[in-house]
Amino acid sequence: MYTQGLNNHDATANDTSANSERFQARIDAEERIEANDWMPKAYRRLLIRQISQHAHSEIVGMLPEGNWITRAPSLRRKAALLAKVQDEGGHGLYLYAAAETLGVSREELVDQLLAGRAKYSSIFNYPTLSWADIGVIGWLVDGAAIMNQIPLCRCSNGPYARAMIRVCKEESFHQRQGYEITLTLARGTAEQKAMAQDALDRFWWPCLMMFGPPDSDSQHSDISIQWKVKRFSNDALRQKFVDATVPQAHLIGLEIPDPALRFDEATGHWVYGQIDWDEFRQVLAGDGPCNRDRLAARRKAHADGQWVREAAMAYAEKRRARPAKLAA
Amino acid sequence: MADPAIPLWEVFIRSRSGLAHRHVGSVHAADVTMALQNARDVYTRRGEGLSIWVVPSNAITASDPADKDMMFEPTGSKIYRHPTFYDVPDEVGHM
Amino acid sequence: MCLMKSGICEMATTSISIAETPLVALMLERADDALILGHRLSEWTGHAPMLEEELALANMGLDLIGQARELYTMAGIAEGCGHDEDQLAYLRDARQYRNLLLVEQPNGDFATTIARQFLYIAFADPWWRSTMASSHPTLAAIAAKAEKETAYHLRHSSEWLIRLGDGTEESHARAQAAIDALWPYTGELFEPGNPDLIAQRVCPDPPTMRVAWNRTVDAILAEATLTRPSADGILRGGRAGRHTEHLGHILTDLQYLQRSFPGATW
């Protein structure tokens, strides 16, 4: 998901001290771990990495959708898209703040992203080539994100869980606006329908990859589940997403680009074809279609904003020095 | 790139008149004016508030979780502080 | 009632023609100001100097796009040709757009964006406040909503201008350069309105806003340690559809889908 890179990292926490046992007992009792509470170093590290990857994903995720704000085809769509992308900025902000409770600053986290040392969701390294991409991203990418984020509202880390509750509340309109855009195109002219199908064709597989590597590959998600950071496995969430999405596509007359897709009466699940994990690893390693552009855009925004942040701090400093002269 | 660390503020919002301000999250801001506006722009986009407080995060003093037993356990045995501790005849009605 | 002689206003495929009564022209002027400035602010998305300001710029953009939508809808009703907000925004050429030259100027650096916002809003805020007393009930209602929004924009942009002007040497230089570069476009703010509309108290006459604008601008520039350019703002033409080269590019983006797929629903 937004933190799929985590599955590749080690998170060894076989700490057997009394503290560790008490900590696990609190987790097992569904207690929330708060900022000042004792926690194993590995738990702190895992959380910082997961939350910051999630935050970076929100921030980088503004770029592909932001690409269409100036070209939105109606004023209603323009306002909705601007508000949605703004929400993503807000979500990044909430998440950075949650990470900060674990003892890391936003500046450090942003530096990690800009230096290419932090990961973010692979999905945002795909380009938005038509207006239909905006519909399909809202419908599928936000749909996939919600699958992942709802269980995170019960995450063992209090600040992260609270941030996710706020995010989920705000995000409820995102998927609907995406589906509405896609639906309008699917019911529009032949050209519009083709545009919608093309967007689905390009985004379907990358969306399935959002849930991260198959369970058979990731030995380390166990600790995440033991600590109740994660509540469902990658494959379980992926299946849930496919089961929810396939009928939504069919309802509006779009085809899922998977010849192997079939409904299994026995299990009640949609069975999907082979995911191209080589592509996934390539995008995650930095060689997706837009990795370089996305990082370049973030670096430019950061560099261009530096004098502004410095000015704000310098002015605040001056004003502290002469409290009598408050601004009007 | 050396970036100035912009201070962190905690944001409290009164959602309706008659209710207390409640902690909703944090913002970064260089000064108090900016903190208030950032809090408005980030946390009241859906009609969540009527009033905002911002407090520098480093101005908050928190109790130590390690002191939890000493701080909060002793009150557990003082059941006479609760109305249900006292027996009064039913005929008295609500009291 | 449609004032177009043919009764059929236009084909969906080309630019629409507008039956521009003074009232329709007034609505379009104000709607175009709001849309183009909102569009410019929306270009910041994903590129703002700090995350909190990212949200603030989007909030102002959304306010302005919202104002534009109400004004276009009202213009369409006043025109009586059945044009909706999207036809008015997406199917007029640059020569038919009536916004101020100031609002179409590129974002530039953050100082330019803030200076542009400030110089425009220092006019728009008192204009909307005065328009709350309009004899036209719909316009009065739009003004009542818009004024609350512009009041906040004025506060936000003033405070940033002060911060940048009185911040570092670099920010001071950038803020002064932004004010100097945009100043020539400020005279157009005060172009006289239609005498009939003024007489009917539909809206205030822009020249009467000059005192309030001067007061705000002088106070904030002084606090920001910035110098007010001495020359008057002389560049104009936006209200008559004679724009800078920038507007054409904005419309190329803004209208691309509507122009490429005529008559489609989105």
Side-chain angles (χ1 to χ4, degrees), chain A residues 47-69:
Chain A
L47 259 299
I48 290 176
R49 212 155 51 206
Q50 168 151 350
I51 299 170
S52 61
Q53 284 183 20
H54 197 159
H56 298 328
S57 298
E58 297 280 0
I59 300 305
V60 176
M62 299 174 78
L63 298 170
E65 287 180 282
N67 184 35
W68 280 87
I69 291 174

Side-chain angles (χ1 to χ4, degrees), chain A residues 82-94:
Chain A
L82 179 51
K84 176 187 190 276
V85 180
Q86 180 196 45
D87 274 352
E88 277 150 20
H91 299 168
L93 195 156
Y94 308 152

Side-chain angles (χ1 to χ4, degrees), chain A residues 59 62-63 66 68-80 82-83 85-87 89-90 92-94 96 106 129 131 180-181 184-185 188-189 191-192 195 297-298 301-302 304-312 314-316 318 322 325-328, chain C residues 35 38-39 42-43 45-52 54-59 61-62 65 68-69 72 85-86 89-90 109-111 159-160 162-168 170-172 174-175 220 222-223 250 252-258 260-261 264-266:
Chain A
I59 300 305
M62 299 174 78
L63 298 170
W68 280 87
I69 291 174
T70 57
R71 290 178 290 172
S74 73
L75 296 180
R76 176 173 177 266
R77 295 282 183 225
K78 192 182 189 69
L82 179 51
V85 180
Q86 180 196 45
D87 274 352
L93 195 156
Y94 308 152
Y96 281 130
R106 189 199 286 180
L129 302 177
W131 171 251
E180 191 194 85
I181 290 171
T184 307
L185 295 173
T189 64
E191 281 166 307
Q192 286 177 305
M195 202 188 277
R298 288 311 310 161
H302 188 77
D304 289 353
Q306 176 141 7
W307 69 269
V308 178
R309 298 187 296 274
E310 284 169 0
Y315 175 74
K318 278 187 201 176
R322 39 157 212 232
K325 209 185 165 216
L326 284 172
Chain C
L35 176 62
H39 183 93
S42 80
E43 292 174 354
T45 308
H47 310 286
M50 58 185 282
L51 194 41
E52 283 78 2
E54 181 85 59
L55 274 76
L57 290 166
N59 276 343
L62 286 167
I65 292 167
R69 293 183 64 185
Y72 283 134
E85 57 175 28
D86 287 329
Y90 289 85
D109 62 7
F110 184 66
E159 278 164 7
W160 265 113
I162 293 168
R163 226 171 256 135
L164 298 180
D166 196 16
T168 61
E170 178 178 7
S171 69
H172 177 87
R174 285 176 183 266
I220 299 301
E223 186 153 3
I250 293 178
T252 302
D253 267 0
L254 186 115
Q255 301 181 337
Y256 149 68
L257 281 167
Q258 290 271 356
S260 303
F261 301 92
T265 304
W266 302 93

